[in-house]
């Protein structure tokens, strides 16, 4: 089920499809040898300097991305630190998804030529005078970042430069990042990466990784004349207090910075690079070594089996109701011809004159349904394309770009669904309805997002969205999404109201006293448990990818879990709806929405548990950001699951009352 990262594809329709939907926000890849490549993913050929040409490059560029930490939600740009800066170089253009995720890719001062090895080459030297306020501030920021275990993220040929090391059970983990440095506490306890070297032992001291050994693995193209393609870039961070800074030899003790250090401190940054041919790894599968070291396919299969058991259980229950109980009920009701028999009716047939009575707050429910439909279609299409491999980790920011563009373009179904149901509820304030559909839920999300962005701005984080991008997002919302919502609402109000199979009585029927289990709140609370049970394992991996900066690539599993979630929400809601109708409670509209929507409350509880049990996030700003972004996810999930439950119940109620003869 896992989507393998795509290589070249000869299928012409894939390229046309991507261009038509603007999914990736990137220029289309070139045509080589008659094959089309996904945008931004065409292979680059490298060769020795004397053989370089337009088709074959000799210079290998290393780019740097923003630095992040599992102990802080705040990422920072590379330029925020006092590292060696590139004197020149073109900054790659970033798509919308990269900007929203805080990625800031910049050229680096680390330059090398294909197949030309370098040993202990000096990049630059940084000098700090602790008496100077500016130097002291830079040094303190560097120390704080080492204390919070901030990680570099370097990129070569659109691949992460990985740091591979052994973990428990002889497993080898390849981390697409490496730390700035580490810290030995005043009690002598080695924090984070300090455990890798026994020479890191001075108390209350920082050790900075100022040297990297980079090894580039390449695969020679079969045709020979095309050169080679890079298939892996691995490094090992090291620390050296270079004896001769002008001519470093990468020997001697590690580069330590005492927490109480004063006077002049010099840090020389160096690197070594070597090349190795690897005949076993093809360019198309060059990400596999990273992904195979990440969590655990067998857990995913356990999650799927767990979810399928829940679905089979619910399907059995629903099938029993539909085929046995309902079939018998309908047959019995349809045989009742005399008035005496009709007076002996019981259960769900009794409420046929009230079942389609408009709900209270019908305006709000219709707006939620419109927004939920927009999110539902957006999620389905995004995951479908991710399954095909179009939105793989190699295409940075593509997933977020795809989701935002789809959401903007799906304003029409949102307006149409909201208008259709509002009209069927008997509503007449169509202007208010379409305005609320356009602005209520997106406005709440944007307000939360803007407040989080203000905090990021205040902290100087690279995740702060630039003002120009905010204007662009507002332009997409107001200039594309809102007009499309109005168009959808126009067609929705123009159509006749939804015809119901039974007439609604003028006087509402009194609902009898309900038992504890058929009261609204217990039913709603119970209804969210089973859908959440289907997704909670998958949710762990998604939260890991967001907050622990791990790559998420198992979109095949995720798409399957999405389908299972839709089925489970539908069946659980139908089941509870039937029990409530048998208890002669006909208020099903809001209850069906809230029953499956309550899954979002369990999501929130799990996110709180995850924060306290799995994350090491410290600081007020990071905590506020975590819960601020979590509330956005909870709202989106609430609308998404609630809409599924309502549509399932609406279909169920319409179906069962359409086959009953009513006098």
């Amino acid at each position: 089920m896992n989507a393998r990262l795509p290589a070249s594809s000869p299928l012409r329709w894939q390229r046309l499809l991507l261009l038509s939907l603007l999914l990736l926000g990137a220029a289309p890849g070139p045509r080589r040898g008659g094959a089309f490549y996904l945008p931004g993913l065409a292979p680059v050929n490298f060769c020795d300097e004397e053989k370089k040409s337009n088709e074959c490059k000799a210079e290998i560029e290393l780019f740097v991305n923003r630095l992040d930490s599992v102990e802080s939600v705040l990422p920072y740009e590379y330029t925020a630190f006092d590292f060696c800066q590139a004197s020149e170089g073109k900054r790659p253009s970033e798509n919308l998804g990269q900007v929203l995720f805080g990625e800031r890719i910049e050229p680096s001062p680390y330059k090398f030529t294909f197949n030309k090895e370098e040993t202990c080459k000096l990049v630059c030297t940084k000098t700090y005078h602790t008496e100077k306020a500016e130097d002291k501030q830079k040094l303190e920021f560097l120390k704080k970042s080492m204390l919070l275990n901030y990680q570099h993220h370097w990129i070569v040929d659109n691949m992460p430069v990985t740091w591979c090391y052994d973990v428990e059970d002889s497993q080898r983990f390849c981390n697409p990042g490496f730390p700035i440095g580490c810290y030995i506490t005043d009690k002598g306890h080695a924090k984070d990466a300090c455990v890798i070297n026994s020479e890191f032992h001075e108390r209350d001291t920082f050790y900075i990784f100022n040297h990297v050994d980079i090894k580039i693995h390449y695969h020679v193209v079969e045709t020979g004349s095309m050169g080679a393609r890079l298939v892996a870039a691995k490094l090992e961070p090291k620390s050296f207090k270079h004896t001769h800074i002008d001519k470093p030899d990468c020997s001697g003790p590690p580069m330590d910075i005492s927490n109480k250090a004063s006077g002049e401190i010099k840090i020389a940054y160096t690197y070594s690079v070597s090349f190795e041919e690897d005949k076993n790894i093809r360019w198309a599968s060059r990400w596999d070594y990273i992904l195979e070291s990440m969590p655990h396919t067998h857990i995913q299969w356990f999650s799927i089996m767990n979810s399928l058991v829940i679905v089979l259980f619910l399907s059995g229950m629903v099938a029993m109701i539909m085929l046995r109980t309902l079939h018998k009920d309908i047959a019995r009701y349809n045989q009742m011809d005399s008035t005496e028999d009709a007076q002996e009716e019981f259960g769900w047939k009794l409420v046929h004159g009230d079942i389609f009575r408009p709900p209270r707050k019908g305006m709000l429910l219709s707006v939620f349904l419109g927004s939920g439909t927009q999110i539902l279609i957006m999620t389905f299409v995004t995951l479908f394309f991710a399954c095909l491999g179009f939105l793989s980790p190699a295409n940075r920011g593509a997933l977020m770009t795809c989701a935002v563009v789809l959401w903007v373009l799906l304003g029409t179904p949102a307006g149409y669904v909201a208008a259709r149901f509002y009209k069927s509820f008997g509503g007449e304030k169509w202007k208010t309805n379409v305005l609320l559909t356009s602005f209520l839920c997106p406005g709440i999300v944007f307000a939360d997002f803007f407040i989080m962005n203000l905090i990021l701005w205040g902290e100087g984080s690279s995740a702060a969205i630039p003002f120009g991008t905010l204007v662009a997002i507002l332009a997409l919302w107001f200039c594309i999404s809102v007009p499309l919502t109005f168009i959808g609402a126009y067609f929705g109000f123009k159509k006749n109201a939804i015809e119901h199979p039974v007439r609604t009585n003028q006087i509402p029927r009194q609902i009898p006293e309900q038992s504890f289990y058929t009261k609204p709140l217990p039913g709603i609370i119970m209804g969210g448990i089973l859908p959440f049970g289907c997704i909670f394992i998958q949710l762990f991996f998604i939260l890991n990818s967001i907050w622990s900066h791990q790559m998420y690539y198992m979109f095949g599993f995720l798409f399957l879990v999405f389908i299972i979630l839709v089925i489970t929400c539908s069946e659980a809601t139908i089941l509870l709806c039937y029990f409530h109708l048998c208890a002669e409670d006909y208020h099903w509209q809001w209850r069906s929405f809230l029953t499956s929507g309550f899954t979002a409350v369990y999501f929130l509880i799990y996110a709180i548990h995850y924060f306290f049990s799995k994350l090491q996030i410290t600081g007020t700003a990071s905590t506020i950001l975590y819960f601020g972004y979590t509330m956005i996810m909870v709202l989106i999930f609430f609308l998404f699951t609630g809409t599924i439950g309502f549509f399932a119940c609406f279909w169920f109620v319409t179906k069962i009352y359409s086959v009953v003869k009513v006098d």
Side-chain angles (χ1 to χ4, degrees):
M1 288 300 300
N2 298 342
R4 189 177 283 270
L5 292 169
S8 60
S9 171
L11 298 177
R12 195 177 293 262
W13 64 268
Q14 289 182 355
R15 186 178 184 230
L16 295 171
L17 195 59
L18 284 169
L19 287 171
S20 63
L21 287 176
L22 300 173
L23 284 183
L24 299 178
R31 187 177 181 180
R32 301 183 187 209
F36 285 103
Y37 296 95
L38 293 178
L41 289 183
V44 178
N45 296 319
F46 294 91
C47 52
D48 296 340
E49 193 163 18
E50 59 272 12
K51 296 180 183 176
K52 71 177 182 179
S53 64
N54 291 335
E55 294 292 318
C56 195
K57 294 169 62 177
E59 301 81 20
I60 298 175
E61 291 182 277
L62 190 149
F63 292 95
V64 291
N65 203 343
R66 50 97 171 93
L67 288 84
D68 55 35
S69 165
V70 294
E71 297 181 34
S72 173
V73 177
L74 302 165
Y76 289 100
E77 290 187 52
Y78 181 84
T79 51
F81 298 84
D82 191 35
F83 298 133
C84 303
Q85 307 293 331
S87 56
E88 57 183 19
K90 187 179 178 183
R91 182 171 180 164
S93 58
E94 291 155 349
N95 59 36
L96 181 61
Q98 287 175 287
V99 176
L100 292 176
F101 270 129
E103 290 201 18
R104 301 291 183 268
I105 300 173
E106 298 173 12
S108 81
Y110 297 84
K111 309 284 184 188
F112 25 86
T113 306
F114 180 74
N115 247 344
K116 183 182 178 184
E117 300 200 350
E118 301 278 5
T119 304
C120 204
K121 186 170 181 180
L122 180 67
V123 185
C124 75
T125 304
K126 294 291 179 179
T127 305
Y128 302 95
H129 297 277
T130 53
E131 296 81 13
K132 293 182 180 179
E134 187 182 354
D135 284 4
K136 189 176 181 181
Q137 188 180 359
K138 289 177 182 176
L139 198 59
E140 288 301 318
F141 186 58
L142 200 60
K143 286 180 185 177
K144 183 184 175 185
S145 303
M146 285 190 272
L147 195 61
L148 291 173
N149 195 28
Y150 268 82
Q151 308 255 326
H152 285 282
H153 293 280
W154 290 1
I155 301 162
V156 166
D157 190 32
N158 199 37
M159 277 202 71
V161 182
T162 56
W163 176 34
C164 296
Y165 50 88
D166 292 322
V167 290
E168 56 192 22
D169 301 328
S170 301
Q171 295 269 329
R172 193 154 180 82
F173 179 70
C174 289
N175 183 13
F178 68 96
I180 296 173
C182 59
Y183 176 61
I184 303 289
T185 64
D186 51 5
K187 294 181 180 177
H189 174 65
K191 280 196 70 184
D192 305 316
C194 275
V195 297
I196 66 173
N197 193 336
S198 59
E199 291 187 49
F200 299 165
H201 54 74
E202 292 290 332
R203 297 189 175 196
D204 197 19
T205 299
F206 294 91
Y207 290 91
I208 188 164
F209 293 121
N210 59 334
H211 174 84
V212 286
D213 285 335
I214 303 171
K215 181 173 275 191
I216 308 286
H217 299 257
Y218 63 90
H219 175 88
V220 177
V221 183
E222 284 78 0
T223 56
S225 60
M226 293 179 70
R229 292 172 181 170
L230 307 189
V231 293
K234 301 177 183 178
L235 64 70
E236 190 177 347
K238 293 181 178 178
S239 180
F240 294 114
K241 184 182 281 185
H242 299 291
T243 315
H244 306 287
I245 287 181
D246 296 333
K247 292 182 179 179
D249 57 358
C250 293
S251 62
M255 181 66 216
D256 58 332
I257 305 171
S258 172
N259 207 13
K260 301 180 179 68
S262 58
E264 185 181 81
I265 298 170
K266 284 190 176 184
I267 303 173
Y269 291 92
T270 55
Y271 73 94
S272 300
V273 63
S274 60
F275 293 83
E276 182 180 308
E277 183 180 355
D278 196 325
K279 296 180 180 179
N280 299 320
I281 303 175
R282 302 274 172 171
W283 184 86
S285 55
R286 62 182 188 157
W287 284 69
D288 286 8
Y289 84 97
I290 305 172
L291 304 180
E292 282 165 5
S293 75
M294 313 212 46
H296 315 303
T297 308
H298 64 276
I299 296 177
Q300 300 275 9
W301 280 116
F302 168 75
S303 164
I304 299 294
M305 295 308 296
N306 167 59
S307 304
L308 285 174
V309 167
I310 294 172
V311 167
L312 288 172
F313 165 73
L314 281 172
S315 299
M317 294 283 287
V318 171
M320 189 174 70
I321 287 171
M322 298 287 280
L323 297 176
R324 295 187 61 186
T325 314
L326 273 174
H327 185 72
K328 287 180 182 177
D329 287 351
I330 290 165
R332 186 170 70 250
Y333 290 147
N334 286 343
Q335 288 168 359
M336 292 179 179
D337 295 326
S338 64
T339 311
E340 291 79 10
D341 287 338
Q343 288 173 350
E344 294 173 7
E345 289 176 359
F346 63 92
W348 57 271
K349 173 76 183 297
L350 280 172
V351 297
H352 67 79
D354 298 276
I355 193 67
F356 292 107
R357 189 173 298 284
R360 298 190 190 98
K361 308 287 184 187
M363 171 79 81
L364 187 61
L365 180 58
S366 65
V367 168
F368 281 177
L369 290 173
S371 295
T373 304
Q374 194 174 8
I375 294 163
L376 181 61
I377 301 171
M378 176 198 78
T379 308
F380 176 81
V381 176
T382 303
L383 289 180
F384 178 73
F385 280 106
C387 270
L388 298 180
F390 294 151
L391 310 180
S392 68
N395 244 322
R396 301 169 192 281
L399 189 73
M400 192 66 169
T401 305
C402 173
V404 172
V405 170
L406 280 173
W407 180 84
V408 168
L409 297 177
L410 288 167
T412 304
Y416 180 82
V417 168
R420 284 284 277 156
F421 278 101
Y422 182 62
K423 191 172 183 180
S424 74
F425 295 157
E428 295 175 353
K429 298 178 180 177
W430 65 271
K431 290 179 183 176
T432 308
N433 179 261
V434 70
L435 286 170
L436 284 175
T437 306
S438 301
F439 296 109
L440 179 63
C441 297
I444 293 170
V445 170
F446 186 81
D448 188 329
F449 182 75
F450 185 72
I451 292 167
M452 297 303 107
N453 206 49
L454 288 177
I455 295 171
L456 290 166
W457 266 335
E459 296 288 332
S461 171
S462 72
I465 309 301
F467 181 74
T469 307
L470 278 177
V471 172
I473 293 170
L474 286 172
L476 287 171
W477 179 15
F478 286 108
C479 301
I480 300 176
S481 181
V482 171
L484 287 174
T485 308
F486 273 76
I487 291 168
Y490 170 77
F491 286 109
F493 280 112
K494 198 175 180 183
K495 290 199 74 170
N496 295 329
I498 299 168
E499 287 190 20
H500 301 307
V502 289
R503 291 194 303 272
T504 302
N505 295 336
Q506 289 186 342
I507 301 170
R509 181 186 180 83
Q510 189 172 356
I511 298 170
E513 184 69 28
Q514 299 291 303
S515 66
F516 174 76
Y517 297 106
T518 55
K519 284 181 179 176
L521 194 58
I524 288 168
I525 292 171
M526 285 189 294
I529 293 174
L530 289 176
F532 179 75
C534 291
I535 63 162
F536 79 96
I537 295 176
Q538 199 66 230
L539 199 59
F540 171 77
F541 290 106
I542 292 170
L543 291 176
N544 264 357
S545 73
I546 296 171
W547 302 115
S548 297
H549 312 295
Q550 295 183 8
M551 283 183 190
Y552 190 90
Y553 67 100
M554 296 186 179
F555 293 111
F557 283 118
L558 187 59
F559 188 70
L560 188 56
V561 168
F562 167 78
I563 300 298
I564 290 171
L565 176 65
V566 171
I567 296 168
T568 312
C569 282
S570 304
E571 291 181 342
T573 312
I574 288 171
L575 205 59
L576 288 164
C577 180
Y578 175 75
F579 293 148
H580 289 121
L581 292 179
C582 287
E584 300 175 28
D585 185 348
Y586 51 82
H587 293 308
W588 62 272
Q589 290 99 332
W590 268 112
R591 184 178 291 152
S592 64
F593 189 92
L594 295 173
T595 298
S596 54
F598 203 79
T599 311
V601 177
Y602 291 109
F603 176 12
L604 176 61
I605 294 167
Y606 182 79
I608 295 168
H609 164 74
Y610 180 85
F611 178 81
F612 288 107
S613 65
K614 303 292 181 187
L615 297 180
Q616 301 131 2
I617 287 175
T618 55
T620 308
S622 291
T623 305
I624 294 170
L625 287 164
Y626 176 86
F627 286 105
Y629 286 127
T630 298
M631 292 312 295
I632 292 176
M633 290 189 279
V634 167
L635 174 62
I636 290 170
F637 198 67
F638 170 71
L639 296 170
F640 162 72
T641 50
T643 302
I644 295 167
F646 178 89
F647 282 144
C649 245
F650 181 76
W651 171 83
F652 173 73
V653 170
T654 304
K655 195 76 175 170
I656 64 172
Y657 285 97
S658 64
V659 293
V660 174
K661 293 177 184 175
V662 179
D663 297 330

